[in-house]
Amino acid sequence: MSLTIYGVLRSRASRPVWLAHELGLDFQHVPVIQSYRLADADAAAADAPLNTASPDFLAVNPNGMVPSLKDGDFVLHESLAICLYLARKAGGPLAPRDPQEEALMTQWALWAATEVEPKSLSILRGVDVEANAAALRRPFAVLEKQLQAGGGFVLGGRFTTADIMVAEIVRYAAANKALFADFPAISSWIATAQARPAHQRMAADRAKEPA
Amino acid sequence: MSLTIYGVLRSRASRPVWLAHELGLDFQHVPVIQSYRLADADAAAADAPLNTASPDFLAVNPNGMVPSLKDGDFVLHESLAICLYLARKAGGPLAPRDPQEEALMTQWALWAATEVEPKSLSILRGVDVEANAAALRRPFAVLEKQLQAGGGFVLGGRFTTADIMVAEIVRYAAANKALFADFPAISSWIATAQARPAHQRMAADRAKEPA
């Protein structure tokens, strides 16, 4: 079955692409850009680059958001759902080993998407930075303890898809060095995760994309 | 194994409790109240009702949020992760039938939690109602089409855990009748879902809780 991941790497597509490299998957990458990064007129123009407002992409995802995945005829949206699907399908150490790990991976994905991402993304965008950094201290304290108790991993005592999903959301806040300075386990965990060859490969490709 | 769901029904605990009734599960319900609904001094007092700031509950969930689940020694947080876990464990028509349905249920859970809930919850709380109702039109249009194409269900051509998860998030916006008037498939779907005996049982118990 042919596998396609839609979305520039300067989007949440970085998550499934990093994971796909970890899993050694053969996939096509279609760098759909977010329409809000183009001028409004450009996004709708026939000669605009493929973007989240392009009819061709809206036919794939009517939400007009990246990433999306096509696995043969099966279409899936939401970056964290895509990561969990790819991991389960591939199996191995990055995938859940049993129903409890399956549930915990889903728990941490939802936790990161709702408790961390709105705030970390605001920090990335320079919006209300101090208030958002202050509000992240409670969820970061939970993650810090979890990493300390779990041998430096989110769950399962090993590097899994959960680490990728959570690290990719936590890193949005990285510019706030004062915040990270107070959470040494998080700082060490994210540095170790980003040093992995699969992340380095994704990050090198991302650096080649227009800013 | 003994099953315990923590959280008053006037919280996201309504989701797993509704589902547990659908599945006919035998469970204990511990009505932990949100600390923000108590005066600050009350929440910390030794004679305060069990709440999300109580040491006894923080030992269950260090995030200090409800619901949480205990299944024997296994502890799980995040209402939608709990729903997916209970459904998978029980099997049957409300559970995913294959890896693709599994992925789509996770997709719709994440979609509802990130694209709908912040806005629908703001409407419930009376915050920026008009702006949030306007912002919900795009995700509601996506759901409306999905329900029309899917025989009145979120996925799988039948009532599943996905309908419970999404309906419980969409309903927060129900006070905005002008919004729902423009989405007849959503209005009909949510009314049908809430007419189910398992929902009625949960809603009747919820109505007995202090407002």
Side-chain angles (χ1 to χ4, degrees):
Chain A
M1 292 285 239
S2 70
L3 205 63
T4 306
I5 299 175
Y6 297 85
V8 290
L9 297 171
R10 295 183 190 275
S11 81
R12 295 180 177 91
S14 63
R15 304 163 187 179
V17 168
W18 174 3
L19 176 62
H21 289 328
E22 293 276 359
L23 298 172
L25 301 180
D26 185 22
F27 66 99
Q28 189 191 359
H29 179 222
V30 179
V32 180
I33 193 166
Q34 302 97 324
S35 61
Y36 67 78
R37 292 174 56 194
L38 305 172
D40 278 353
D42 289 350
D47 62 348
L50 187 64
N51 67 79
T52 52
S54 303
D56 282 358
F57 180 67
L58 288 171
V60 175
N61 185 357
N63 287 292
M65 298 181 73
V66 283
S68 288
L69 175 80
K70 260 196 178 178
D71 183 6
D73 291 333
F74 178 60
V75 179
L76 187 66
H77 316 304
E78 297 295 332
S79 64
L80 305 177
I82 293 170
C83 286
L84 290 166
Y85 171 77
L86 291 176
R88 285 179 199 123
K89 186 173 167 167
L94 273 74
R97 285 187 173 155
D98 56 36
Q100 296 191 347
E101 281 197 1
E102 171 95 48
L104 291 171
M105 281 196 193
T106 309
Q107 170 199 299
W108 282 102
L110 282 156
W111 175 86
T114 58
E115 296 306 306
V116 178
E117 186 160 15
K119 304 175 187 87
S120 64
L121 206 49
S122 291
I123 291 174
L124 183 72
R125 292 172 176 163
V127 178
D128 295 334
V129 167
E130 290 312 313
N132 280 298
L136 277 176
R137 289 184 176 271
R138 180 167 186 159
F140 271 35
V142 170
L143 178 59
E144 180 83 3
K145 270 197 189 172
Q146 180 75 8
L147 294 170
Q148 285 168 343
F153 302 103
V154 169
L155 60 87
R158 66 188 194 283
F159 184 82
T160 71
T161 301
D163 295 285
I164 293 176
M165 297 189 295
V166 179
E168 278 292 275
I169 289 173
V170 165
R171 66 141 171 126
Y172 293 148
N176 200 283
K177 298 200 188 306
L179 174 64
F180 280 76
D182 289 341
F183 297 99
I186 292 178
S187 301
S188 162
W189 158 79
I190 208 162
T192 304
Q194 293 184 346
R196 295 174 67 91
H199 178 274
Q200 298 272 306
R201 185 174 163 193
M202 181 280 290
D205 288 340
R206 184 173 57 198
K208 292 176 203 153
E209 290 184 349
Chain B
M1 292 284 238
S2 69
L3 205 63
T4 306
I5 299 175
Y6 297 85
V8 290
L9 296 172
R10 295 182 192 274
S11 81
R12 295 181 177 88
S14 64
R15 304 164 186 178
V17 168
W18 175 3
L19 176 63
H21 289 327
E22 293 277 358
L23 299 172
L25 301 180
D26 184 24
F27 65 98
Q28 189 191 359
H29 180 221
V30 179
V32 180
I33 194 166
Q34 301 97 324
S35 62
Y36 66 78
R37 293 174 55 194
L38 304 172
D40 276 355
D42 288 349
D47 62 349
L50 187 63
N51 68 79
T52 52
S54 302
D56 282 358
F57 180 69
L58 288 171
V60 175
N61 185 356
N63 288 291
M65 298 181 75
V66 283
S68 287
L69 175 81
K70 260 197 178 179
D71 183 6
D73 291 334
F74 179 60
V75 179
L76 187 65
H77 317 304
E78 298 294 331
S79 63
L80 305 178
I82 292 169
C83 286
L84 290 166
Y85 171 77
L86 291 176
R88 284 179 199 124
K89 186 173 167 170
L94 273 75
R97 285 188 172 153
D98 56 35
Q100 295 190 348
E101 281 197 1
E102 170 95 49
L104 290 172
M105 282 197 193
T106 310
Q107 171 199 299
W108 283 103
L110 282 156
W111 176 85
T114 58
E115 297 305 307
V116 177
E117 187 160 13
K119 304 176 187 87
S120 65
L121 205 49
S122 292
I123 290 174
L124 183 73
R125 291 173 177 164
V127 178
D128 295 333
V129 168
E130 291 311 313
N132 280 299
L136 277 176
R137 289 185 175 270
R138 181 168 186 158
F140 270 35
V142 170
L143 178 59
E144 181 82 3
K145 271 197 188 172
Q146 179 75 9
L147 294 170
Q148 286 168 344
F153 301 104
V154 169
L155 59 87
R158 65 189 194 282
F159 184 82
T160 70
T161 302
D163 295 285
I164 294 177
M165 296 189 295
V166 179
E168 278 292 277
I169 289 172
V170 164
R171 66 138 171 129
Y172 292 148
N176 200 283
K177 299 201 187 306
L179 174 64
F180 280 76
D182 289 341
F183 297 99
I186 291 178
S187 301
S188 161
W189 158 79
I190 208 162
T192 305
Q194 293 184 346
R196 295 175 67 92
H199 178 275
Q200 299 272 305
R201 184 173 166 194
M202 180 279 290
D205 288 340
R206 185 174 55 198
K208 292 176 202 153
E209 289 183 349

